[in-house]
Amino acid sequence: MDEIIGGGSGAATDPRFPHAPVGWTPALAIESARREGLELGENHWEALRALQEYYARHAATAVNLRELHDALGEKFHRQGGIRHLYQLFPGGPVAQGCRIAGLKAPAGASDKGFGSVA
C-alpha cells in the first residue's frame, strides 16, 4: 500500500495510473475515500484504474452513463460484475467511483433528491 501512496508523486509519473486526470494522485483518492467512509484495497484501485482508462478512451465524446455502467459490469464480470462494484463503492460504482478517481460523473449518475443511482 505504501507504494500506491507514493509520497506526493504526480499521477502522470505514476505508472500504475497511466490514465489518471491531471492533478489527481493516489493520496488524494485515499483522502477522498476516507471522507466517504471507505478504506481502499487492491480491488478499489483496480476499479479506479478502469474508470480512468474508460474516461481516457472516451475523452473526445461525452461519457454515457449506461455505456460506462455496462462496460464496468463486463470488465468485472469474473468478480461478480456490477454487484461486486456496488460492494466496493456502496455510494454507486459510477458516482462514488468517479469522485474518488478524480473524474466528473456522467449526467444522471446521481439524483439530488435520491442520491447515487449508478
Side-chain angles (χ1 to χ4, degrees), residues 50-64 67-68 71:
L51 283 165
Q52 291 173 346
E53 180 182 349
Y54 186 91
Y55 268 72
R57 283 189 285 126
H58 295 84
T61 62
V63 173
N64 178 284
E67 290 174 6
L68 173 55

Side-chain angles (χ1 to χ4, degrees), residues 9-12 17 20-26 28-29 45 48 52 99-103:
S9 64
F17 300 96
V22 174
W24 180 91
T25 65
L28 289 173
W45 292 114
L48 296 175
Q52 291 173 346
R99 282 193 302 272
I100 295 170
L103 305 166

Side-chain angles (χ1 to χ4, degrees), residues 35-56:
R35 283 192 307 270
E36 297 201 28
L38 296 175
E39 184 175 331
L40 300 179
E42 188 51 43
N43 289 333
H44 292 93
W45 292 114
E46 183 181 359
L48 296 175
R49 279 190 290 275
L51 283 165
Q52 291 173 346
E53 180 182 349
Y54 186 91
Y55 268 72

Side-chain angles (χ1 to χ4, degrees), residues 33-115:
R34 186 193 61 73
R35 283 192 307 270
E36 297 201 28
L38 296 175
E39 184 175 331
L40 300 179
E42 188 51 43
N43 289 333
H44 292 93
W45 292 114
E46 183 181 359
L48 296 175
R49 279 190 290 275
L51 283 165
Q52 291 173 346
E53 180 182 349
Y54 186 91
Y55 268 72
R57 283 189 285 126
H58 295 84
T61 62
V63 173
N64 178 284
L65 173 61
R66 174 54 50 200
E67 290 174 6
L68 173 55
H69 196 268
D70 291 347
L72 288 172
E74 184 176 325
K75 178 162 182 72
F76 292 94
H77 176 74
R78 287 193 176 278
Q79 293 99 320
I82 207 71
R83 184 171 291 182
H84 166 71
L85 294 173
Y86 271 100
Q87 290 173 341
L88 295 174
F89 300 104
V94 174
Q96 189 175 40
C98 282
R99 282 193 302 272
I100 295 170
L103 305 166
K104 183 179 184 302
S110 61
D111 177 342
K112 291 181 193 241
F114 180 70

